[in-house]
Amino acid sequence: MIHPVILCGGSGTRLWPSSRKAHPKQFAPLIGDESLYQQTLRRFAGPDFAPPLIMTGEEFRFMAAEQAAALGLSDAKVVIEPVARDTAPAILTAALILADDPEARMLVAPSDHVIGDLPGFLCAVAAGTGAARDGCLVTFGVPPDRPETGYGYLELAAEPVPGETVSLKSFREKPDQETAEAFLAAGTYLWNAGIFLFRVADVIAAFEAHAPDLVAPCRAAIAQGRADLGFLRLDAEGYGQAQAISFDYAIMEKAEQVAAVPLTGGWSDLGSWDAIWQARAPDADGVATDGPVTAIECSDSYLRSEEDGMQLVGLGLSGIVAVAMRDAVLVADKSRAQDVKAVVSALRAAKVAQADEYPRFHRPWGWYETLCLGGRFQVKRIMVKPGGVLSLQSHMHRSEHWIVVEGTAEVTIGEDVRLVTENQSVYIPLGTVHRMANRGRLPMYLIEVQTGSYLGEDDIIRYQDIYDRG
Amino acid sequence: MIHPVILCGGSGTRLWPSSRKAHPKQFAPLIGDESLYQQTLRRFAGPDFAPPLIMTGEEFRFMAAEQAAALGLSDAKVVIEPVARDTAPAILTAALILADDPEARMLVAPSDHVIGDLPGFLCAVAAGTGAARDGCLVTFGVPPDRPETGYGYLELAAEPVPGETVSLKSFREKPDQETAEAFLAAGTYLWNAGIFLFRVADVIAAFEAHAPDLVAPCRAAIAQGRADLGFLRLDAEGYGQAQAISFDYAIMEKAEQVAAVPLTGGWSDLGSWDAIWQARAPDADGVATDGPVTAIECSDSYLRSEEDGMQLVGLGLSGIVAVAMRDAVLVADKSRAQDVKAVVSALRAAKVAQADEYPRFHRPWGWYETLCLGGRFQVKRIMVKPGGVLSLQSHMHRSEHWIVVEGTAEVTIGEDVRLVTENQSVYIPLGTVHRMANRGRLPMYLIEVQTGSYLGEDDIIRYQDIYDRG
């Protein structure tokens, strides 16, 4: 059995507006109907794999658990990193959590990549397993098909052969164009995919040898951590004392027994919109589209609309990326895709909410989105998942009308508890203590119409909250 | 006194998505907060002008009346052209309606142009008035500042002098680039602005001389027409027999006594997105924006977002037009602006609703827009203007919840009539006869939540309708 360790603490902004701080790339259905994180989980759902260990941030814990549960993976273990500390402390912590079985192998993978060829990937994992059994730290790399300057490279001792390990000479930073071309020509370089396989005991030993300062903080983070609503929440003080450093720097570049296995095609880190364009298999004119899009006489462009009811039309475009969402639209020169990160910084500096916020707000009980915001009213669409319970609360400045449009709500108003089902409504007067829950087995959808002089999210007095929020 | 005759029957698609069949260009606030039609009406609101005569189509009559009323122009007369017949029959009909005073002058203007320099325009009108008094048919033209191939030209007998009439040699079709450059160099050509000034008797006489076949149908259309809710509805059979032909072809090119007056700068027909870009005074990099837009390292581009909550970001663009609306986004090469018309045809052929429909549906009583459409529910925002009354109706397949969020509604449900005000709600069970009206003095806004198995607009049985709709 291999223990998958899924790293999903990142909050990349280079795929804005689809990826934002409040809803990062790995949780977005960027390619296909499932999120990249879900696609990653699926990759490790076979009989050779133990339930996954998921390393994520405080703000993503419910999303990580919910998306895993949606795949039926109710035994996924979610570990909360209270502060971001890069990959080395995350991997060490995962290893320490699995240390009861030192012979166990762990496969560490980012949650935001795409792997087109699953059998090929599993083959490579099988090839790496032998080396890992011999005490190697195994990394996986992708044979380059172009002189890409956006990835780091693995320098090999020999030409890679599919299904076989090869020893590793060095790690190389993102190269310039000329160096990238030389790497491609040499045939002994792989793109560094950030995927690793090793025995738990071996990686802990490597940390003790090459990054001993990380060990005590990570041990403390686990020892002082606490189980919380099914999550393991690492202790913030302990984890915070670990240095933020990548696993490549801390371990792989220093360890002696390292090996690489080539992955077959179809891999992408989806690191920017031009990588998405590439992964979407553009047509003969170089045009790739997603969603309700009409492209007329375009070439070398990616057009994406994330709303069913939003028709995106491209006319005579060349080398353009356009991504349309309900609250934000990006139109960029495709060659500038790497600069989208800077765009988000500029929006953040200008205090544009869309820089970080996502139109659908995820909460432990489900999600909500604003349909219409007027001067003295707001209309929201709310989904409460089965078992979801909103906090017992009241508002100082607004009344609320709730109309259930799908499923059944259990509604508390003052002392009164009643069931409200499809096509029924209730009224929550200003100041009244109230709560909404879904005790059913299907998602419950309702429309909330708020009226009042102040409609901010912070007009809330919480009396009780099963999710332990402040 | 001069009678303004405003032509607003067009339904241009070259400014899609802002201009659509259901909500054409002249009624859209393309530049500034008021529509082009309203800006046109304002131009003629001075003491020298009689109340305007507005020639428009069946489907735009309420919008034309409503937007005029919003400016306080309650004495505007709206004439309904039951079928589109181009400008010659419209102008002749207007003249025949004004024929009680044959000495009266009429100033005919399109409703979808912008005129930046109002004093200059009024000066030009004053200059034309003298010539009109002498029996001339006067047209206005704009001294070209570039070799524009998108306009027709007026060839003059001499160089034009501001504030003076000049006799006209010929009308010239849209030229090719070379010819346009020759026109510009010659200095004796003006862009044809489609604005005319003449005495009622003179223009009728010109029609009798040069287009006599039009006279009987237009006379019949008026004689058989009927007053209808304050509109004059021309008889469809009579008007339909008039040939569809432009005023330039039918009259101006044939009449003997014709003169031109130059208009000073600031005129544009806003005929395409590059004309809008030009009219919006682009900055030193050639970038013009409207709405919540962030342009980063862009040049020679127009970026427009029509929604307050929709942030449009341009990155590294050059020569691009991007227009974002809630239900449609256009991204086009600016040099292809003239082809947007073809885009709309393509969308129409593909049965994309956004080709012709507008997200806000205008009705005689106000408007509505869909906020959210689910499988078995729909949320609408509805505005009923003061005095607005929806038809007495029932539905076979849906129930409705109404929540008033601003103003007061008079609601009829079966035999019961009651007032519903801000923060109150009512429920309309499936099959119940109901009606909503605004008897107040302020607009009334409500949120409607429909639930049912079929939510189409055609599930409606009308029992009574003050607007006489079928």
Side-chain angles (χ1 to χ4, degrees), chain A residues 297 309-311 313-316 326-329 331-333 336 347 354 376 399 401 403 422-423 427 451, chain B residues 294 297 309-316 326-329 331-333 336 354 376 399 401 403 422-423 427 451:
Chain A
E297 290 161 42
M310 206 165 160
Q311 182 74 25
V313 174
L315 168 63
R326 192 185 328 167
D327 65 337
V329 178
V331 184
D333 188 291
R336 302 290 300 274
L347 292 176
Q354 288 93 332
R376 288 177 47 84
S399 312
H401 293 262
I403 298 117
E422 186 181 311
N423 197 27
Y427 174 62
T451 54
Chain B
T294 304
E297 291 161 42
M310 207 166 159
Q311 182 74 26
L312 171 62
V313 174
L315 168 64
R326 190 186 329 167
D327 66 336
V329 178
V331 183
D333 188 292
R336 301 290 301 273
Q354 288 93 329
R376 288 178 48 84
S399 313
H401 293 261
I403 298 115
E422 188 181 312
N423 197 27
Y427 175 62
T451 53

Side-chain angles (χ1 to χ4, degrees), chain A residues 123-138:
Chain A
C123 233
V125 169
T129 302
R133 199 179 295 124
D134 296 339
C136 260
L137 306 187
V138 178

Side-chain angles (χ1 to χ4, degrees), chain B residues 85-146:
Chain B
R85 279 296 178 266
D86 214 331
T87 49
I91 292 173
L92 172 57
T93 301
L96 292 170
I97 289 170
L98 297 169
D100 284 348
D101 179 4
E103 290 300 306
R105 276 150 295 148
M106 52 194 277
L107 177 65
V108 178
S111 57
D112 56 353
H113 295 183
V114 72
I115 288 178
D117 176 11
L118 182 58
F121 173 70
L122 295 176
C123 232
V125 170
T129 302
R133 201 179 291 123
D134 297 338
C136 259
L137 307 185
V138 178
T139 184
F140 296 83
V142 181
D145 58 10
R146 59 184 186 273

Side-chain angles (χ1 to χ4, degrees), chain A residues 301-430:
Chain A
S301 293
Y302 179 62
L303 303 173
R304 175 184 183 95
S305 168
E306 296 215 349
E307 297 287 328
D308 282 345
M310 206 165 160
Q311 182 74 25
L312 171 61
V313 174
L315 168 63
L317 302 176
S318 176
I320 293 288
V321 166
V323 180
M325 294 182 69
R326 192 185 328 167
D327 65 337
V329 178
L330 172 72
V331 184
D333 188 291
K334 194 155 76 69
S335 71
R336 302 290 300 274
Q338 296 293 335
D339 299 331
V340 171
K341 199 184 175 93
V343 166
V344 177
S345 303
L347 292 176
R348 204 173 280 155
K351 300 200 185 307
V352 173
Q354 288 93 332
D356 293 321
E357 284 179 9
Y358 200 72
R360 181 171 286 184
F361 290 81
H362 288 268
R363 293 288 178 266
W365 44 260
W367 51 255
Y368 71 86
E369 56 194 17
T370 295
L371 298 179
C372 182
L373 180 60
R376 288 177 47 84
F377 76 95
Q378 178 168 217
V379 184
K380 284 183 179 177
R381 180 185 188 186
I382 298 176
M383 188 282 279
V384 184
K385 56 191 183 189
V389 182
L390 279 71
S391 63
L392 187 69
Q393 58 187 240
S394 68
H395 310 292
M396 295 290 283
H397 301 288
R398 65 176 187 254
S399 312
E400 294 176 349
H401 293 262
W402 293 346
I403 298 117
V404 175
V405 293
E406 211 178 308
T408 299
E410 179 201 84
V411 176
T412 305
I413 304 177
E415 299 294 301
D416 183 34
V417 180
R418 71 181 97 157
L419 291 178
V420 182
T421 191
E422 186 181 311
N423 197 27
Q424 295 183 335
S425 68
V426 289
Y427 174 62
I428 320 291
L430 185 153

Side-chain angles (χ1 to χ4, degrees), chain A residues 438-459:
Chain A
N438 180 2
R439 308 288 183 194
R441 302 181 64 84
L442 296 171
M444 186 269 289
Y445 293 85
L446 66 74
I447 303 299
E448 175 178 279
V449 181
Q450 309 176 343
T451 54
S453 52
Y454 178 77
L455 303 168
E457 282 304 310
D458 54 350
D459 173 20

Side-chain angles (χ1 to χ4, degrees), chain B residues 373-395:
Chain B
L373 181 60
R376 288 178 48 84
F377 77 98
Q378 177 168 216
V379 185
K380 284 183 180 176
R381 181 185 188 186
I382 298 176
M383 188 282 279
V384 185
K385 58 190 180 189
V389 183
L390 279 72
S391 63
L392 187 69
Q393 57 188 239
S394 67
H395 309 292

Side-chain angles (χ1 to χ4, degrees), chain B residues 76-358:
Chain B
K77 179 158 189 149
V78 178
V79 178
I80 303 170
E81 299 167 76
V83 285
R85 279 296 178 266
D86 214 331
T87 49
I91 292 173
L92 172 57
T93 301
L96 292 170
I97 289 170
L98 297 169
D100 284 348
D101 179 4
E103 290 300 306
R105 276 150 295 148
M106 52 194 277
L107 177 65
V108 178
S111 57
D112 56 353
H113 295 183
V114 72
I115 288 178
D117 176 11
L118 182 58
F121 173 70
L122 295 176
C123 232
V125 170
T129 302
R133 201 179 291 123
D134 297 338
C136 259
L137 307 185
V138 178
T139 184
F140 296 83
V142 181
D145 58 10
R146 59 184 186 273
E148 175 67 56
T149 58
Y151 298 144
Y153 284 70
L154 308 172
E155 186 189 2
L156 310 178
E159 282 211 19
V161 177
E164 293 185 19
T165 55
V166 53
S167 53
L168 197 59
K169 280 178 72 178
S170 73
F171 286 79
R172 306 293 288 262
E173 298 278 326
K174 293 179 185 175
D176 58 24
Q177 187 67 28
E178 200 183 337
T179 312
E181 277 163 19
F183 287 176
L184 179 64
T188 52
Y189 290 82
L190 300 175
W191 291 333
N192 185 351
I195 303 174
F196 307 101
L197 177 68
F198 29 66
R199 283 190 307 202
V200 168
D202 295 332
V203 75
I204 294 176
F207 272 102
E208 281 166 345
H210 305 294
D213 291 351
L214 294 179
V215 181
C218 291
R219 282 196 194 280
I222 298 169
Q224 310 297 322
R226 63 188 176 96
D228 173 12
L229 298 168
F231 304 110
L232 169 60
R233 184 191 299 273
L234 299 174
D235 178 58
E237 210 185 309
Y239 201 72
Q241 277 167 18
Q243 187 196 348
I245 183 171
S246 82
F247 185 67
D248 277 346
Y249 276 121
I251 302 301
M252 291 302 280
E253 294 191 4
K254 294 173 184 157
E256 283 108 46
Q257 265 194 289
V258 291
V261 181
L263 288 175
T264 46
W267 173 87
S268 170
D269 77 339
L270 302 178
S272 59
W273 283 116
D274 57 345
I276 299 271
W277 166 79
Q278 212 141 37
R280 294 300 290 139
D283 67 15
D285 294 323
V287 175
T289 70
D290 274 302
V293 170
T294 304
I296 298 176
E297 291 161 42
C298 294
S299 62
D300 185 31
S301 293
Y302 179 62
L303 302 174
R304 176 185 183 94
S305 168
E306 297 216 349
E307 298 286 330
D308 282 345
M310 207 166 159
Q311 182 74 26
L312 171 62
V313 174
L315 168 64
L317 302 176
S318 176
I320 293 288
V321 166
V323 180
M325 294 182 69
R326 190 186 329 167
D327 66 336
V329 178
L330 171 72
V331 183
D333 188 292
K334 195 155 76 67
S335 71
R336 301 290 301 273
Q338 296 293 334
D339 299 331
V340 171
K341 200 184 172 89
V343 166
V344 177
S345 302
L347 293 176
R348 203 174 281 155
K351 299 201 187 307
V352 173
Q354 288 93 329
D356 292 319
E357 284 178 12
Y358 200 72

